[in-house]
Amino acid sequence: MQYVTLNNGVEMPLLGFGVYQISADDTERAVSDALAAGYRLLDTAAAYGNEEAVGRAIKSSGIPRDDLFVTTKLWLQDAPAEDNTRPAFETSLTKLGLDHLDLYLMHQPFGDVYGQWRAMENLHREGLTKAIGVANFYPDRLLDLTLNNEITPAVNQIETHPFFQRADYQDLMREHGVQIQSWGGFAEGKNDLFTNPLLAEIGEEHDKTVAQVVLRWLTQRGVIAIPKSVRAERMAENFDVFDFELTDEQLARIAALDTGASLFFDHHDPEIVAWLAKRRLDA
């Protein structure tokens, strides 16, 4: 496994396993299979509704806690978020069956962002989470948070895939010490990603699948990837991406696929903002 070093010195695996949209009933088995395949970075969220299943898989695996890197995410908290964030964190920690997190992310750039961040800073200072970061923050939101707070986010988890590559934004994050992490690395198959002729051709050149090419493209760029699957054979395939390297010419060809736009939703869209503002998690 390859690692990146976050801005506070914490090492994070460059490739992990995500559980977004895996049902709670399937998550325990999927995470157990992923751990057996070698994954040590696990990514979940309070909003996914499967933290307990992730925790059961961790417990039954017998893998030492220090060998794992566990991430979960804080959903929007009503003001004063500075008071409401700690209980949300403690709920996630209890569901996961852990005594600390490796990374705690603010899931959305809305609501009482500053209150949430101040509370997350305190959790970090107390050693309850080794690192804190954000998700879905566009450049203006990220810089506002970074420049006006004591702790710089260690990670920003954002939509990143061959059709929305975020290269300029990655450069900006690197300038400010923020590590980019991808969600939706396979674009959920949109734009016929898995049958894309260019990616398939590059895969043939390395005797690799399109999925492996995409994951190597992400990790070779220094982008943390968290592919999801419920099939053990696909998990193993996705984990086998560090035995080849894309050439500069291949990277340039993949760069031409970039549309510069989200395939899912735009956090600048007022309708998206309004929808997120109304969504609260069940207790």
Side-chain angles (χ1 to χ4, degrees), residues 257-269:
L257 297 175
D258 193 9
T259 68
S262 170
L263 295 186
F264 297 94
F265 46 79
D266 185 349
H267 281 74
H268 294 128
D269 182 344

Side-chain angles (χ1 to χ4, degrees), residues 80-113:
E82 204 157 355
D83 297 332
N84 296 330
T85 294
R86 183 177 292 268
F89 174 86
E90 292 172 347
T91 296
S92 288
L93 208 59
T94 298
K95 288 182 176 181
L96 288 163
L98 303 176
D99 61 5
H100 73 277
L101 288 176
D102 298 281
L103 178 62
Y104 196 41
L105 300 180
M106 191 187 307
H107 205 154
Q108 301 292 346
F110 302 124
D112 187 7
V113 169

Side-chain angles (χ1 to χ4, degrees), residues 161-218:
H161 49 72
F163 307 119
F164 194 26
Q165 299 188 9
R166 319 303 286 271
D168 290 343
Y169 192 14
Q170 182 178 2
D171 290 341
L172 179 67
M173 281 190 269
R174 185 181 294 112
E175 179 183 341
H176 290 273
V178 181
Q179 170 65 46
I180 184 173
Q181 181 176 15
S182 162
W183 67 254
F186 296 144
E188 295 185 6
K190 292 179 183 290
N191 289 5
D192 297 321
L193 179 136
F194 292 112
T195 56
N196 180 274
L198 170 59
L199 297 174
E201 181 181 340
I202 292 173
E204 289 176 2
E205 293 168 4
H206 293 280
D207 195 25
K208 293 291 183 178
T209 66
V210 167
Q212 289 172 316
V213 169
V214 171
L215 291 173
R216 189 66 188 112
W217 169 76
L218 286 167

